[in-house]
Amino acid sequence: MRVAVLGLGEAGSLYASGFRGNGWAVAGYDPGDVSTPDGVERADSVRAAVQGCDLVLGLTGAKVALAVAREAAPHLASGTVFADMNAAAPQLKREIAQAVQESAGVVFADVSVIGSVPTHRHGTPLVTSGAGAAQVAAHFGTLGTPVEDLGAEPGAASARKLLRSVFMKGLGAIITQTVEAGRAAGDEQWVREQIAAELASGESTLDRLYQGTVKHGERRAFEVSAAADLMADLRLDAELTQAIQPRAHPGRPSGRAEQRAAGERRAAGRTRGRRHGEHR
């Protein structure tokens, strides 16, 4: 079996090594000045990398994913599975699917990585959808990778990934800012211990934070406002903390929604006033 890895960055290199270690022939392509994993054939073009492959992994980054897929498409053999593993919007995945499936017999799989590749390497769980999903599950199964086949159209797997990203990328940003604030206040270690303790309780923490936010939103919004003031006092960027404030009170409209609601209340008041005048 032969696989091409398009994009030899951190994730691409780890997947290339994983397939090579499990007996696959591996070709890799990357126009950047990056190293080539041991045992991987470094191709000098997309065309050279994908020819004769059973599986092609797109790990180039979402910005160039469609362009690379279009470049690869004419050189994909019938029966090849093109698996786009970039984190991207569902619509982009559908466009990539259309591009590669213009070559007869080629099937597409939308693949999302659910976890940290540097931590779990080629064993990082995957979610996949599209015509080639079952084949992706079988191919990665040779590596022992957990794969959930959604049995749906391209875009379903990426949507699942992006739902998780709302939390994970937001959590990463919040942790970064909180640790920086702790460092600036001289309490970094204490802040780290507080975060670690909260993250250790799993679903019980999830339920407590969700239900508590709904129940005590107004009080929490004031608390977050005070936290933003502290960030400013510490001469740190408070924009993220300020953005959290209206979200800490889910029952209260925020931003444009709040302005729209206020406008609707004023308009309703004027209407009532006119009606009262009509009956005088």
Side-chain angles (χ1 to χ4, degrees), residues 18 24 30 41 55 84 96 109 120 128 136 145 151 172 180 192 204 211 214 219-220 225 227 230 245 255 262 270 279:
W24 286 57
D30 195 308
E41 305 167 29
L55 176 65
D84 186 88
I96 295 171
H120 304 291
T128 184
V136 161
T145 307
E180 288 177 354
R192 284 178 171 273
S204 63
Q211 294 167 7
V214 172
R219 175 176 60 78
R220 292 189 177 190
S225 177
L230 173 62
Q245 183 186 357
R270 289 194 295 270
H279 293 291

Side-chain angles (χ1 to χ4, degrees), residues 26 175 221 269:
V26 183
I175 287 175

Side-chain angles (χ1 to χ4, degrees), residues 117-179:
V117 178
T119 300
H120 304 291
R121 304 177 71 84
H122 58 269
T124 309
L126 303 175
V127 174
T128 184
S129 65
Q135 289 162 272
V136 161
H139 288 325
F140 275 91
T142 66
L143 279 62
T145 307
V147 182
E148 181 181 2
D149 180 356
L150 299 181
E153 295 299 314
S158 59
R160 183 77 68 85
K161 165 82 170 182
L162 295 178
L163 286 172
R164 185 176 186 272
S165 295
V166 174
F167 166 69
M168 287 300 296
K169 290 351 182 230
L171 179 63
I174 289 294
I175 287 175
T176 300
Q177 187 165 84
T178 305
V179 170

Side-chain angles (χ1 to χ4, degrees), residues 55-237:
L55 176 65
V56 175
L57 306 183
L59 283 157
T60 58
K63 280 187 177 181
V64 297
L66 180 57
V68 171
R70 286 172 172 162
E71 185 176 351
H75 313 295
L76 299 173
S78 178
T80 301
V81 180
F82 189 100
D84 186 88
M85 301 180 70
N86 297 295
Q91 178 57 34
L92 178 57
K93 295 289 185 135
R94 290 189 283 268
E95 291 174 7
I96 295 171
Q98 183 176 3
V100 299
Q101 289 175 161
E102 289 180 359
S103 297
V106 175
V107 291
F108 175 81
D110 172 12
V111 181
S112 288
V113 183
I114 309 297
S116 169
V117 178
T119 300
H120 304 291
R121 304 177 71 84
H122 58 269
T124 309
L126 303 175
V127 174
T128 184
S129 65
Q135 289 162 272
V136 161
H139 288 325
F140 275 91
T142 66
L143 279 62
T145 307
V147 182
E148 181 181 2
D149 180 356
L150 299 181
E153 295 299 314
S158 59
R160 183 77 68 85
K161 165 82 170 182
L162 295 178
L163 286 172
R164 185 176 186 272
S165 295
V166 174
F167 166 69
M168 287 300 296
K169 290 351 182 230
L171 179 63
I174 289 294
I175 287 175
T176 300
Q177 187 165 84
T178 305
V179 170
E180 288 177 354
R183 185 180 304 129
D187 278 323
E188 179 178 351
Q189 185 56 40
W190 183 83
V191 165
R192 284 178 171 273
E193 291 169 358
Q194 292 296 306
I195 295 170
E198 293 297 335
L199 293 176
S201 301
E203 193 166 353
S204 63
T205 297
L206 185 160
D207 290 337
R208 176 170 58 80
L209 291 174
Y210 181 85
Q211 294 167 7
T213 299
V214 172
K215 185 177 181 180
H216 304 294
E218 185 172 5
R219 175 176 60 78
R220 292 189 177 190
F222 280 108
E223 185 176 334
V224 173
S225 177
D229 291 340
L230 173 62
M231 296 289 291
D233 290 342
L234 294 170
R235 300 185 182 280
L236 297 173
D237 184 358

